[in-house]
Amino acid sequence: MRNIARKDALDEMTKDDLVAWIRNQHFLRPKRSDVLYIRWERQSAEVLEEMQKENKALDGFDFKERDRLAVRFNESRDAGEKLRLLELMQPYDKAMQDHIRRSQALDRKSKRVDALYEQIDVERQKERRT
């Protein structure tokens, strides 16, 4: 028995097909708040997935080792040894800087998604008045 994944008809439709089909459904007209909610739901799921991925990004780094290298750096009086220790710490520092940069970008994206959610409420209030 073969397991054949069936495609939903919506998956086969182009954007133009979908728009035309929705416009032909006289009993079904999405409200702007519905569209915004669908957009918010998709984008918030994407942000959550990206955040989970980013939280795992540093799993391969032992920052206690970086701290031990920093202690040795601070205790050393030899310029050559200090340079060698700095070079050993560099991958840790770069990984942390990259993580911070990506996390800040995710925070900005999350704020845009939160603003989208607030816009849903604004649109719902407008829709109730009309």
Side-chain angles (χ1 to χ4, degrees):
M1 181 178 228
R2 293 187 333 198
N3 184 6
I4 300 173
R6 294 187 61 193
K7 272 190 160 183
D8 187 312
L10 293 174
D11 291 330
E12 297 175 13
M13 297 174 89
T14 66
K15 178 182 176 183
D16 291 337
D17 293 338
L18 284 168
V19 170
W21 180 76
I22 290 170
R23 289 189 195 282
N24 286 325
Q25 304 300 314
H26 300 289
F27 60 90
L28 175 65
R29 286 279 189 218
K31 298 175 186 169
R32 179 157 168 71
S33 63
D34 296 334
V35 173
L36 291 173
Y37 180 81
I38 290 168
R39 192 174 295 158
W40 168 81
E41 190 174 43
R42 183 179 37 79
Q43 289 180 13
S44 63
E46 289 172 3
V47 167
L48 182 60
E49 183 179 328
E50 289 176 34
M51 285 180 172
Q52 290 171 342
K53 182 179 175 185
E54 187 56 41
N55 287 338
K56 294 178 183 178
L58 296 179
D59 283 353
F61 286 91
D62 179 8
F63 285 94
K64 289 181 182 180
E65 175 61 22
R66 191 259 179 230
D67 293 343
R68 286 188 286 274
L69 292 169
V71 167
R72 287 176 47 200
F73 173 86
N74 290 334
E75 292 172 348
S76 179
R77 300 287 179 236
D78 180 4
E81 176 68 6
K82 283 186 171 244
L83 180 59
R84 187 182 76 74
L85 292 168
L86 279 175
E87 289 172 355
L88 291 173
M89 287 187 292
Q90 193 276 333
Y92 297 100
D93 293 341
K94 181 178 180 339
M96 184 54 75
Q97 289 169 1
D98 291 346
H99 171 71
I100 290 169
R101 181 182 44 76
R102 289 187 306 264
S103 294
Q104 289 170 337
L106 278 171
D107 285 342
R108 289 188 300 273
K109 189 173 184 178
S110 180
K111 286 179 182 173
R112 287 191 303 271
V113 172
D114 291 344
L116 182 59
Y117 192 81
E118 292 171 11
Q119 187 62 35
I120 293 168
D121 287 336
V122 170
E123 289 301 320
R124 285 182 179 156
Q125 290 173 6
K126 288 180 188 176
E127 291 163 0
R128 283 186 203 123
R129 286 185 237 141
T130 59

